């Protein structure tokens, strides 16, 4: 039975007809080409089944078989600021760019205090105003990602565009808020974000993926990040989709020499969620620190696919992802570290730790090393476990009962990731979310 | 305060405690000595309520209650405290958070109001000063990465905060430097009061110079084979445990 589902290649017609609709609009020639390349790749690449190594434990059949309506332009989705109260948590000075189904909403956004040399707004605006940097970054990359990335490129229209000129340093975070809402009709949103940090620029970026309203929807986001030499970014991806929400998201980073990418991928909700994060350490001395936390329950499936390519010598990378799984939920983790032949003196570590709160929950974890250089330091590991009995007894010997011990330990396990976030309003918010979820005291 | 009668306990079918009898009155300090593997920690863990041990016979009364009927957390709330020989590490939970939760659980059970973070912090600061622990340890995850001696000191900090009626210190003196030993001893001596009692499990006379016990017991092979005053410790130091073992086999 599953075999049949696996082998079926459902119709791509509704997506391809959206591509056609876009083709009839007026766009710069380069963009038409980029979309065309995306569309070609989308048509020729099969949707993944569980026979594809990268998707073995992530069955995307529900996403493929639901006839989500792809969008070809902004519509009136009737979202007001009050709908966003719970997702806009920035304080004075923050820039909060709001996107509804991938389209920038100037009315819902606010531009905070930005230093000179910083552009933060809509990618569609950047394209229509002939921004050369946007053109360059969107055309230079040959679409090589998975079929969903190709779909995103085929339907590339809008999303966030952030550019920091050389030396620009943000004093306040930029928050990209992606809301998917279908007015009770299943829509497919394809937000496309482009973030470019010039030489020695520094920024705190948050991207949130959330939902308003009821019903199934598909958020298929692609974010491209380019860090020029010496640039540093603290990147935060918050996924809090609804119980019926499907999200496939890819963040693709390219790092020049001495740049630093430090990220937190936090997944709190969604029916099926896959967060892909890849970075190429493409200049000596580049650093990537990728933290992750996924908290799952119900019958959720959360997949984090992380990949780091050490393309140049003397780069360091650290991946630390943690998961807490409850009920009959499942999580997938894969961490691929590839060290190219000339990438000597690579220092790379990765650890994936999972806490199972229920014996119906499952984890598939797969840290992978592919090393072609000989002078490298690489370690990797994965654990799946429960709270140790001796630790629980220690709590009890201090007057706390077992339920409280477990709650506190779970909170502590998750909070170890949250505590490393240095944007206070964000850290406090997540700390509260974790605390409420496992309600210790 | 504590009355142990003919206590037998086994783990995975092996009998480890083979008929312990011990009575500790309020206001007293008892020391338990004995060779490695004789069952000292087992006795301590059984009293604290560890469920890996099966009680096969005997009874324990603590503050007029049947101790063996109570789950571990209720024993702690009643006022029993075990300073572990090997304190466990708890990543992700700060010392302060852990202790506040513990103290409030105990207070709640006595119908006392819970302490809020501010009041607790004040109390904690006082206690940290009392046991000479660097205030920064309040924010560190419980025992994580602590040195052996620091873990023992942290047990004493917990003792000072929770103020139990009966404290069982399982080799808390092992691994302590001279200063820490004095702090621990001072702490125990301060807790000496008509309504409290202490059981010290130790291998060393050194500790007994600071805390003079009312009674010393020798535990060999799961049973208390000798009890006496301070002179018993001196005799043990001189002759080792063999002389007691020999006495035992002698007719
Ligand atoms: N959970 C267990 N499983 C198997 N054996 C156990 C367990 N707990 C204790 N034992 C055994 O019981 C005996 C008594 O151990 P216990 O730790 O009580 O000794 P002790 O007197 O505290 O020794 P030490 O002075 O070395 O601390 C030992 O032989 C030990 O191996
Ligand atoms: Mg012992």
């Amino acid at each position: 039975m599953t075999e049949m589902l696996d082998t079926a290649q459902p119709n791509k017609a509704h997506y391809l007809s959206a591509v056609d609709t876009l083709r009839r609009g007026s766009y710069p020639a380069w963009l038409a080409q980029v979309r065309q390349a995306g569309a070609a790749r989308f048509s020729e690449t099969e949707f993944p089944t569980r026979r594809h190594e990268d998707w073995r434990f992530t069955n995307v059949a529900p996403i493929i078989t639901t006839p989500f309506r792809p969008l070809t332009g902004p519509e009136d989705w009737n979202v007001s600021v009050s709908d966003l109260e719970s997702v806009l948590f920035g304080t004075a000075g923050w820039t909060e760019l709001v996107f509804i189904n991938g389209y920038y909403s100037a009315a819902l956004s606010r531009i905070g205090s930005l230093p000179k040399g910083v552009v933060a707004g809509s990618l569609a605006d950047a394209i229509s105003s002939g921004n050369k940097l946007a053109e360059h970054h969107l055309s230079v990359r040959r679409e090589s990602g998975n079929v969903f990335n190709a779909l995103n490129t085929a339907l590339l229209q809008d999303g966030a565009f952030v550019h920091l000129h050389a030396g620009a340093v943000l004093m306040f975070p930029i928050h990209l808020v992606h809301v998917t809402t279908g007015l009770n009709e299943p829509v497919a949103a394809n937000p496309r974000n482009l973030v470019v940090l010039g030489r020695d620029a520094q920024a705190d970026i948050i991207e949130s993926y959330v939902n308003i309203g009821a019903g199934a929807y598909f958020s298929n986001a692609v974010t491209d990040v380019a860090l020029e030499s010496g640039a540093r970014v603290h990147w935060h991806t918050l996924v809090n989709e609804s119980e019926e929400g499907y999200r496939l998201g890819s963040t693709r980073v390219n790092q020049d020499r001495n740049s630093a990418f430090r990220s937190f991928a936090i997944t709190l909700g969604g029916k099926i969620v896959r967060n892909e994060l890849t970075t190429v350490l493409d200049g000596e001395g580049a650093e990537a620190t990728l933290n992750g936390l996924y908290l799952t329950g119900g019958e959720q499936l959360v997949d984090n696919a992380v990949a780091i390519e050490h393309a140049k010598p003397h780069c360091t990378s650290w991946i630390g992802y943690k998961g807490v799984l409850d009920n009959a939920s499942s999580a997938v983790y894969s961490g691929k570290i590839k060290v190219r032949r000339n990438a000597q003196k690579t220092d790379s570590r990765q650890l994936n730790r999972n806490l199972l709160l229920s014996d119906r929950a499952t984890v598939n974890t797969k840290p992978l090393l592919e090393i072609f250089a000989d002078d490298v330091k690489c370690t990797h590991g994965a654990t799946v476990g429960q709270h140790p009995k001796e630790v629980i007894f220690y709590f009890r010997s201090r007057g706390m009962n077992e339920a409280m011990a477990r709650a506190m330990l779970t909170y502590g396990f998750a909070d170890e990731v949250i505590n490393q976030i240095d944007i206070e309003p964000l850290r406090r918010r997540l700390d509260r979310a974790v605390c409420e979820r496992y309600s210790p005291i | 305060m504590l009355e142990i009668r003919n206590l037998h306990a086994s783990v995975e079918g092996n009998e480890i405690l083979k008929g312990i009898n011990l009575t500790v009155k309020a206001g007293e300090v008892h020391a338990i000595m004995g060779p490695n593997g004789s069952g000292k920690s087992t006795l301590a863990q059984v009293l604290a309520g560890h469920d890996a041990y099966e009680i096969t016979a005997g009874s324990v009364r603590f503050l007029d209650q049947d101790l063996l009927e109570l789950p571990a957390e209720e024993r702690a709330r009643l006022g029993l405290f075990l300073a572990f020989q090997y304190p466990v590490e708890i990543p992700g939970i700060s010392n302060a958070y852990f202790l506040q939760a513990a103290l409030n659980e105990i207070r709640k059970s006595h119908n006392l109001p819970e302490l809020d973070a501010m009041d607790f912090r004040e109390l904690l600061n006082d206690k940290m000063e009392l046991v000479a622990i660097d205030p920064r340890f309040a924010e560190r995850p419980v025992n994580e990465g602590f040195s052996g001696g620091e873990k023992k000191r942290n047990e004493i900090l917990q003792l000072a905060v929770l103020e139990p009626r009966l404290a069982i210190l399982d080799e808390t003196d092992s691994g302590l430097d001279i200063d820490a030993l004095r702090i621990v001893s001072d702490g125990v001596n301060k807790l000496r009061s008509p309504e409290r009692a202490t059981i010290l499990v130790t291998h060393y006379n050194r500790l007994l110079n600071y805390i003079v016990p009312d009674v010393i017991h020798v535990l060999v092979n799961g049973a208390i084979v000798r009890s006496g005053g301070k002179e018993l410790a001196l005799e043990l130091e001189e002759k080792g445990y063999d002389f007691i073992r020999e006495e035992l086999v002698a007719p």
Side-chain angles (χ1 to χ4, degrees), chain B residues 49-65:
Chain B
H50 198 300
D51 47 22
Y53 303 94
E54 193 194 346
I55 313 297
T56 50
S59 67
V60 180
R61 290 197 73 77
F62 174 58
L63 295 173
D64 293 324
Q65 296 218 32

Side-chain angles (χ1 to χ4, degrees), chain A residues 283-297:
Chain A
E284 290 194 22
E287 256 174 61
T289 307
L290 315 182
N291 302 288
L293 178 67
Y294 41 96
L295 309 178
T296 66

Side-chain angles (χ1 to χ4, degrees), chain B residues 40-41 85 170-171:
Chain B
K40 303 181 297 296
S41 294
Q85 183 174 3
D170 191 358
E171 295 198 29

Side-chain angles (χ1 to χ4, degrees), chain A residues 28-62:
Chain A
W30 67 264
L31 179 57
Q33 267 175 32
V34 169
R35 284 186 190 147
Q36 184 48 45
R41 188 171 163 81
F42 174 68
S43 317
E44 76 202 19
T45 313
E46 291 191 347
F47 281 124
T49 67
R50 281 187 281 176
R51 281 175 290 115
H52 291 70
E53 187 56 30
D54 288 349
W55 298 83
R56 239 175 87 201
F57 302 107
T58 303
N59 180 10
V60 288

Side-chain angles (χ1 to χ4, degrees), chain B residues 11-12 16 34-43 52-53 85 171 203:
Chain B
V11 60
E12 285 154 19
I16 295 167
N36 293 133
S38 58
K40 303 181 297 296
S41 294
T42 302
L43 174 60
Y53 303 94
Q85 183 174 3
E171 295 198 29
H203 286 296

